[in-house]
Amino acid sequence: MAPSAMPTQHAPEGKQNGDLYLDYAADRNATAQETLYTTSNGVPMPHPYETQRVGENGPLLLQDFHLIDLLSHFDRERIPERVVHAKGSGAHGFYKTTNSAEDICMADIFKAGKECPITVRFSTVGGESGSHDLARDPRGFSVKFRTDEGNWDVVANNTPVFFLRDPAKFPHFIHTQKRNPATHLTHMDDSTVFWDYLSQNPESIHQVMILMGDRGIPKGYRFMHGYLGHTIKLVNKQGEWVYAQLHMLSKQGHGVLHTRGVLRALPRLLAEGPVRGH
């Protein structure tokens, strides 16, 4: 369904922002009359346990979209872990253009007053899906803007620079963050290959100074800024090319955790859990 057909989805007015997403307790206590089973494309399915047949006991019909849809999703439920950004958390919200940016981009969403629902996924970079949230590691942003003209996906990091520029170096660098295939040790167990890479690629020094400095461990996903990293080429309403950078600034400000503070705060953070916004 197009975003324009759902004006209240993720809207900024009161509780409407989360109307489509029940919390755990409300979902557990919901009655059958309060729930709706649908196919993956949103069509209500009144009889989810039934299949279409020829007659009462005849062969199954390939026209049974619900059955094909159900089985196709069932076969793909075990999604392989991402190579990078495996550990993450998501949040729903909305984007609103306060001042027109049409001098930079002709997209409809950048007209003054336009808004759309968005979903953001924050993540660490090098760790596995079971790694901890307080790693000394960059944090990634993946933002999906659901605009009237279609979906716009933007990716960013919480640092304005990166370890490398040449994409041929990326697989080699990420291998320094993963388990050694011979020993199965991570870079936290044996960091030799990590520092070996840095010693051969001095352009990494700016990012390393950020990572190993005070900004290396963000206080939480709510307390960090986002930077696109690359310069992008946009077209304004006059049809002219415009080079632009995107920065996402946190209204909560920029917060960090220091190593000693992390060790002291760890029991409290584990007890509070993600509901506290960390």
Side-chain angles (χ1 to χ4, degrees), residues 188-208:
M188 299 185 68
D189 303 307
D190 183 358
S191 60
T192 303
V193 67
F194 174 63
W195 293 106
D196 182 60
Y197 174 89
L198 297 181
S199 69
Q200 299 179 50
N201 295 274
E203 72 267 30
S204 301
I205 189 63
H206 193 176
Q207 176 74 310
V208 172

Side-chain angles (χ1 to χ4, degrees), residues 2-3 15 30 38 48 65 97-98 107 129 170 190-191 217 225 236 245 273:
K15 296 182 179 180
T38 74
F65 174 80
T97 300
T98 52
S129 60
F170 188 71
D190 183 358
S191 60
I217 307 177
H225 303 320
N236 64 18
Q245 257 282 358

Side-chain angles (χ1 to χ4, degrees), residues 15-264:
K15 296 182 179 180
Q16 292 176 339
N17 190 38
D19 278 348
L20 299 183
Y21 303 94
L22 296 175
D23 60 32
Y24 173 75
D27 183 64
R28 181 185 59 189
N29 297 323
T31 65
Q33 291 73 27
E34 295 173 323
T35 59
L36 180 64
Y37 177 86
T38 74
T39 59
S40 63
N41 58 341
V43 178
M45 186 64 190
H47 305 292
Y49 296 142
E50 299 179 1
T51 57
Q52 295 183 20
R53 296 178 178 273
V54 176
E56 184 175 350
N57 295 306
L60 300 176
L61 297 178
L62 193 60
Q63 72 181 31
D64 188 351
F65 174 80
H66 168 256
L67 176 62
I68 303 303
D69 181 59
L70 182 67
L71 292 179
S72 64
H73 281 77
F74 177 74
D75 292 340
R76 297 168 175 83
E77 284 180 358
R78 298 297 175 266
I79 302 172
E81 178 179 291
R82 290 175 173 87
V83 176
V84 290
H85 299 275
K87 177 66 177 291
S89 302
H92 301 290
F94 71 96
Y95 165 83
K96 182 174 183 179
T97 300
T98 52
N99 299 311
S100 173
E102 294 175 279
D103 59 324
I104 298 175
C105 184
M106 66 186 298
D108 178 71
I109 190 59
F110 291 120
K111 294 179 180 178
K114 289 288 293 187
E115 60 182 64
C116 72
I118 63 172
T119 299
V120 184
R121 182 181 185 267
F122 304 101
S123 60
T124 53
V125 178
E128 302 166 344
S129 60
S131 59
H132 60 90
D133 294 317
L134 301 179
R136 185 173 290 276
D137 196 22
R139 302 300 192 269
F141 287 64
S142 177
V143 187
K144 181 181 289 292
F145 294 78
R146 296 181 176 86
T147 77
D148 291 340
E149 297 179 319
N151 291 343
W152 183 39
D153 294 294
V154 176
V155 293
N157 278 334
N158 71 321
T159 56
V161 295
F162 197 58
F163 293 97
L164 52 92
R165 181 174 181 265
D166 193 322
K169 294 183 178 183
F170 188 71
H172 300 290
F173 171 72
I174 294 302
H175 286 160
T176 73
Q177 304 295 295
K178 299 300 180 180
R179 293 184 181 271
N180 185 316
T183 65
H184 209 54
L185 297 177
T186 70
H187 67 288
M188 299 185 68
D189 303 307
D190 183 358
S191 60
T192 303
V193 67
F194 174 63
W195 293 106
D196 182 60
Y197 174 89
L198 297 181
S199 69
Q200 299 179 50
N201 295 274
E203 72 267 30
S204 301
I205 189 63
H206 193 176
Q207 176 74 310
V208 172
M209 291 178 69
I210 294 176
L211 186 64
M212 299 301 171
D214 292 341
R215 297 169 62 183
I217 307 177
K219 183 180 179 181
Y221 292 144
R222 296 168 58 240
F223 300 96
M224 59 185 187
H225 303 320
Y227 306 91
L228 198 61
H230 297 289
T231 297
I232 56 176
K233 200 174 183 180
L234 303 175
V235 181
N236 64 18
K237 64 180 181 180
Q238 284 80 32
E240 302 166 335
W241 290 109
V242 179
Y243 291 100
Q245 257 282 358
L246 294 182
H247 292 179
M248 293 167 274
L249 304 182
S250 169
K251 287 187 175 181
Q252 290 75 233
H254 188 264
V256 298
L257 293 173
H258 302 287
T259 302
R260 291 182 180 178
V262 168
L263 296 176
R264 289 196 301 267

